[in-house]
Amino acid sequence: MDHSALPSPEGYEISTDPGRLDRELIHRWLSGDAYWALGRSREKQEAAIGGSLNYGVYDAVSGLQVAYARIVTDRATFAWLCDVYVDRGVRGKGLGTALAGAVRDHLAPYGLRRIMLATADAHEVYARAGFEPLAAPDKWMALGDQ
């Protein structure tokens, strides 16, 4: 998969280039401000980045990273969208929905059967990108934090 820029909102760039990721910033966002990752160690975050397909959103002028998401996938049947974070200073501009849509579109050529995610507070963001509640939640089970 190439790491070219993906279709992005005006003034921003979305990229899968791992070399552009501001890993320190990502760790600070997630470990300090994301309810699902509070206290995550830098080592754990680096392992997560290393085992995932990563997406960054960058200000087109400054090049600074303003959002992040990662996908855990086999690139054949399934993907899990996680660690989606938009910097507080740029929230409300549609970047979360744009990022979720870019991820969806970028994964489309794989013909995945399912892309999953979990959220406690951003259902409408993902709904605008086409995600829906589980049709049959009684079929799903989990091991670990819920």
Side-chain angles (χ1 to χ4, degrees), residues 3-129:
H3 297 295
S4 59
L6 303 172
S8 308
E10 187 172 342
Y12 296 93
E13 301 171 346
I14 300 174
S15 173
T16 59
D17 181 353
R20 291 187 72 182
L21 296 173
D22 184 335
R23 292 167 181 252
E24 176 60 37
L25 178 63
I26 293 166
H27 179 253
R28 191 168 56 247
W29 281 339
L30 296 178
S31 68
D33 193 41
Y35 67 85
W36 65 90
L38 291 175
R40 183 183 290 169
S41 72
R42 179 70 187 264
E43 295 75 22
K44 184 73 74 174
Q45 184 60 48
E46 288 297 327
I49 288 171
S52 302
L53 175 58
N54 299 277
Y55 295 79
V57 181
Y58 306 89
D59 181 281
V61 175
S62 70
L64 295 175
Q65 188 167 354
V66 298
Y68 173 74
R70 68 184 180 91
I71 285 284
V72 179
T73 184
D74 59 10
R75 292 181 169 90
T77 63
F78 180 81
W80 179 264
L81 174 59
C82 53
D83 285 348
V84 178
Y85 188 91
V86 176
D87 185 271
R88 289 185 176 275
V90 296
R91 289 185 186 171
K93 297 181 178 188
L95 294 178
T97 297
L99 180 54
V103 168
R104 176 200 62 216
D105 296 346
H106 190 237
L107 295 175
Y110 293 120
L112 302 174
R113 179 174 178 173
R114 183 172 291 112
I115 302 172
M116 301 284 298
L117 64 85
T119 184
D121 60 358
H123 296 79
E124 68 285 346
V125 170
Y126 300 108
R128 287 191 294 268

